[in-house]
Amino acid sequence: MRYFDIGVNLSSEQFAKDRADVVSRARLAGVDNMLLIGSNIQDSRQAIALANEFSLIASAGIHPHDAKTAEGDYCQIIQNLADQNPLVAAIGECGLDYNRDFSPRDKQREVFAAQVALANKLNKPLYMHQRDAHHDFLAIVKEAQVPGVVHCFTDSEEALETYLELGFYIGITGWLCDERRGDTLRKLLPRIPLDKLLFETDAPYLLPRNIKPKPKSRRSEPLHIEYVAKQAAELYQRPLEEVANAAFYNAHKLFGLELA
């Protein structure tokens, strides 16, 4: 089985002591490639450096939590990172988060809209985050002229249908495997066409709760992507290989990569 984890926070301090081992374990588990998420300027630089070190891909952008830190010509900085580093495959993680409101909402909207415009300019896909902000998110993302993925989707049927109508891919994480809070997502999953499905761990977060035996550590790793795929295959009532292969192909298509 071959997997493409489209969401890994490899620059996290939780991986500081064993990043190379994390990548090696993932590859042994069939994870052929990963997108390393950039969540602010400094983090994007680190994600790009790690992508170069481990022959992976990265995103460059500013997460809504970090929108308050966006100063000066931040879009030009992101553009320079993308222009100078071929491994930058997407703009983001960008979007809106009204769940935690770590940045003022008006600043979130400003920074998100600027990154949508930048993605259009560079003709690069968007890597997007949305929590409790669907309608404001939609008003901005309608301006997108490029494809994109709604990362770690956990929203409503209305939101799902809207994003699919706009042609976006849907990123599914270990949230799907959480019996405490994943019920809505599990019910909606079969409504995601296989040609719009992507898998991600969001490591080191969202450890799948269907891992048996239960790991001692709560840290998620890219190697755990198979448990997200297995849960999805059960819900689709389709063979694991078919579901995993669809997501693998979709990731290559979205990020403009050739299938080996």
Side-chain angles (χ1 to χ4, degrees):
M1 208 73 64
R2 302 170 74 189
Y3 298 103
F4 196 130
D5 188 342
I6 65 112
V8 181
N9 299 281
L10 195 63
S11 56
S12 167
E13 282 300 307
Q14 293 191 46
F15 293 129
K17 295 181 179 179
D18 63 344
R19 287 191 179 97
D21 290 338
V22 167
V23 174
S24 294
R25 284 193 290 268
R27 286 183 166 140
L28 287 172
V31 182
D32 278 18
N33 207 340
M34 315 172 204
L35 182 139
L36 308 185
I37 302 170
S39 59
N40 55 49
I41 299 300
Q42 180 179 353
D43 190 52
S44 295
R45 289 192 175 110
Q46 189 172 3
I48 293 166
L50 291 169
N52 276 285
E53 180 179 352
F54 296 113
S55 300
L56 304 171
I57 62 171
S59 70
I62 300 176
H63 191 289
H65 290 344
D66 293 290
K68 61 183 178 291
T69 69
E71 298 176 347
D73 200 353
Y74 57 88
C75 275
Q76 186 61 55
I77 296 173
I78 296 171
Q79 179 175 339
N80 291 345
L81 290 174
D83 287 345
Q84 295 165 12
N85 298 279
L87 295 179
V88 175
I91 300 302
E93 182 177 351
C94 58
L96 302 177
D97 192 313
Y98 293 176
N99 179 269
R100 295 188 176 180
D101 281 321
F102 287 165
S103 291
R105 293 184 179 184
D106 59 345
K107 185 66 172 179
Q108 290 189 47
R109 292 190 291 268
E110 172 201 317
V111 174
F112 181 33
Q115 290 178 92
V116 170
L118 178 61
N120 290 341
K121 177 182 178 181
L122 300 180
N123 194 31
K124 284 191 177 289
L126 284 158
Y127 193 92
M128 297 175 288
H129 173 108
Q130 187 276 112
R131 286 196 75 185
D132 296 347
H134 170 64
H135 294 291
D136 282 358
F137 179 90
L138 182 60
I140 294 170
V141 84
K142 280 183 175 179
E143 300 301 316
Q145 300 164 11
V146 293
V149 54
V150 181
H151 150 74
C152 190
F153 179 82
T154 58
D155 210 324
S156 65
E157 179 180 356
E158 175 194 359
L160 176 62
E161 293 301 327
T162 302
Y163 301 150
L164 290 173
E165 287 172 9
L166 290 170
F168 294 134
Y169 292 83
I170 308 298
I172 300 297
T173 65
W175 192 285
L176 188 72
C177 313
D178 192 331
E179 76 286 356
R180 305 163 303 175
R181 57 183 181 174
D183 190 53
T184 297
L185 181 58
R186 286 197 292 273
K187 289 177 181 176
L188 288 176
L189 184 88
R191 303 191 65 164
I192 302 172
L194 283 183
D195 65 357
K196 291 299 178 184
L197 176 71
L198 294 169
F199 290 133
E200 52 180 322
T201 56
D202 204 21
Y205 314 113
L206 298 176
L207 177 72
R209 288 175 59 86
N210 58 341
I211 300 174
K212 295 179 181 179
K214 186 177 179 180
K216 294 180 180 179
S217 171
R218 294 180 61 187
R219 186 185 75 170
S220 177
E221 293 190 21
L223 68 87
H224 296 134
I225 194 103
E226 66 173 299
Y227 294 94
V228 182
K230 286 176 179 177
Q231 180 70 76
E234 290 178 13
L235 293 165
Y236 277 115
Q237 297 184 340
R238 292 173 180 257
L240 173 60
E241 185 174 8
E242 178 185 0
V243 174
N245 285 345
F248 186 76
Y249 172 80
N250 294 340
H252 285 78
K253 183 178 180 181
L254 174 62
F255 299 125
L257 304 174
E258 291 186 8
L259 277 166

